[in-house]
Amino acid sequence: MSKRIYIDLLRKLEVDHELQGSQRTTVREVLGITLYILAQGGSIRLAKERFQHSTETISRFFSKGLTSLLLLSAEVIKPTDPQFREIPTEIRSDARYMSFFKDCVGTIDGTHVDARIPVEDQVRYIGCHGTMTQNVMAVCDFNMCFTFALAGWEGTAHDSRIFARALGDNRLNFPHPPQGIQINICKFI
C-alpha cells in the first residue's frame, strides 16, 4: 500500500468510522497493527513483537481497527445502482447478450480462503484439499466491483447454503432488487 493511500484510509477511518488510538498509541499505529495482522497473516503474538506492546493492547487495537474496517466495507461494498434500473452497456449494446442477460444484475461465486481456526473448531473447516479454509461468497457487478461479500463459513459449507443464508437474513444486507422485479439466478462453474 502506498503512503498516500494509507494516509487517505487513515483519515477516512478516523473521521467517518471513529478509529481512535490512546494516550500511548497513535491512530496511525492502530491501523498499522490491524493491517499487519490482516495482510501478513500475522498473529497477535507476532504483532506484539513487531510493535512492542502487550498482548492485551495488540488484541484491543486489532479489534478496534477491524471494527472500523468492517464499517467502511458496508459503505464501499454495495451496488452502485441499488434499484437495478440500468442495464449495463456491455449487455445493452450487444444483441448476442441482450436477450439472455438483460435482467442480470451481476455474478455470484464462492471461493475458499485459507483460515486460522481454533483447535476445537478445525474439523468443520477442513476443505476438500485437506487444509483449513473459509468459504467466501462474493457478488460482482459488470464493472467487476464487489457489491456483496459474505465470509466466515466453514470450508465444508456448500455454496447454495451460504447463498440461502444471505437471501434469508436481512441483517446481512444482501442487495435485493426492488419488489416486482424478478431475478434469475445462474451459476457458472
Side-chain angles (χ1 to χ4, degrees):
M1 177 182 298
S2 72
K3 184 177 179 180
R4 181 80 210 134
I5 290 174
Y6 182 84
I7 298 298
D8 287 347
L9 176 61
L10 181 66
R11 286 188 183 134
K12 178 78 173 165
L13 293 176
E14 207 172 4
V15 172
D16 295 344
H17 302 292
E18 303 174 9
L19 182 63
Q20 299 173 349
S22 68
Q23 288 179 337
R24 298 178 63 196
T25 306
T26 65
V27 179
R28 184 178 291 202
E29 191 173 15
V30 172
L31 181 58
I33 289 167
T34 305
L35 293 178
Y36 174 79
I37 292 171
L38 292 174
Q40 301 297 320
S43 64
I44 298 290
R45 185 181 55 79
L46 289 174
K48 172 186 163 183
E49 293 298 320
R50 172 89 166 104
F51 292 94
Q52 296 297 299
H53 288 295
S54 70
T55 304
E56 189 276 330
T57 299
I58 295 293
S59 179
R60 185 167 23 93
F61 286 137
F62 175 64
S63 180
K64 285 182 178 185
L66 194 56
T67 299
S68 292
L69 286 172
L70 286 171
L71 291 170
L72 175 65
S73 74
E75 182 181 311
V76 175
I77 302 175
K78 63 181 182 180
T80 53
D81 176 17
Q83 298 299 313
F84 302 106
R85 289 187 184 118
E86 295 182 27
I87 298 173
T89 308
E90 298 88 343
I91 294 172
R92 190 176 55 239
S93 63
D94 194 330
R96 295 175 301 167
Y97 301 131
M98 184 62 175
S99 61
F100 298 105
F101 296 108
K102 67 180 173 64
D103 294 325
C104 189
V105 296
T107 185
I108 190 169
D109 202 1
T111 188
H112 288 265
V113 178
D114 288 340
R116 291 182 182 211
I117 307 297
V119 175
E120 62 272 10
D121 295 327
Q122 287 182 355
V123 172
R124 292 188 345 242
Y125 287 84
I126 296 174
C128 60
H129 298 291
T131 60
M132 286 178 291
T133 63
Q134 287 186 39
N135 197 339
V136 178
M137 183 183 79
V139 180
C140 291
D141 62 15
F142 287 96
N143 295 320
M144 297 307 291
C145 294
F146 286 106
T147 58
F148 181 79
L150 180 58
W153 283 77
E154 60 270 11
T156 57
H158 193 275
D159 290 350
S160 62
R161 183 172 154 216
I162 300 168
F163 183 59
R165 173 69 189 274
L167 286 175
D169 190 341
N170 290 332
R171 296 172 299 168
L172 296 175
N173 295 321
F174 185 81
H176 293 279
Q179 289 286 40
I181 294 181
Q182 178 184 347
I183 59 169
N184 297 317
I185 299 168
C186 300
K187 180 172 170 142
F188 297 97
I189 299 175

